[in-house]
Amino acid sequence: MVGDFKMPLIVLDRSSRQKINKDIQDLNSSLDMDLMDLYRILHRKTTNYTFCSLSQGTYSKINHIIGPKTILNLCKRTKIL
């Protein structure tokens, strides 16, 4: 499942390093335990962003590649363009 979820999933996915709000916590808890953000697993410390809020002066990664843990070994690479 690839898409624009309109929110970062972890603190590393936002430039302002603000706390993760309740909506994000709800999304994370609603994901099945066998699903993960495949991009984040392959790029644990990378801070690439897909959204810029000029009014707030922040950047976020709000697009995610969500998939089952079982296909992680099939993922050769992921990249944000």
Side-chain angles (χ1 to χ4, degrees):
M1 173 178 18
V2 176
D4 182 351
F5 289 79
K6 300 284 188 228
M7 63 181 71
L9 295 178
I10 62 172
V11 173
L12 186 61
D13 289 341
R14 2 171 41 138
S15 63
S16 64
R17 303 292 187 247
Q18 297 172 350
K19 286 184 171 181
I20 298 297
N21 67 27
K22 180 149 175 38
D23 291 336
I24 296 168
Q25 290 174 346
D26 290 346
L27 176 61
N28 279 326
S29 65
S30 69
L31 290 175
D32 185 79
M33 297 304 281
D34 289 334
L35 297 178
M36 62 177 63
D37 183 347
L38 299 173
Y39 176 87
R40 180 53 57 211
I41 295 299
L42 295 172
H43 304 278
R44 293 188 186 273
K45 297 181 181 181
T46 303
T47 54
N48 284 328
Y49 304 116
T50 59
F51 176 75
C52 172
S53 172
L54 295 176
S55 63
Q56 296 181 9
T58 61
Y59 299 91
S60 302
K61 184 173 93 59
I62 60 173
N63 302 89
H64 305 287
I65 303 169
I66 306 295
K69 294 176 184 178
T70 56
I71 69 164
L72 187 58
N73 64 338
L74 300 174
C75 298
K76 302 284 188 232
R77 61 185 164 173
T78 59
K79 186 182 344 182
I80 293 177
L81 300 174

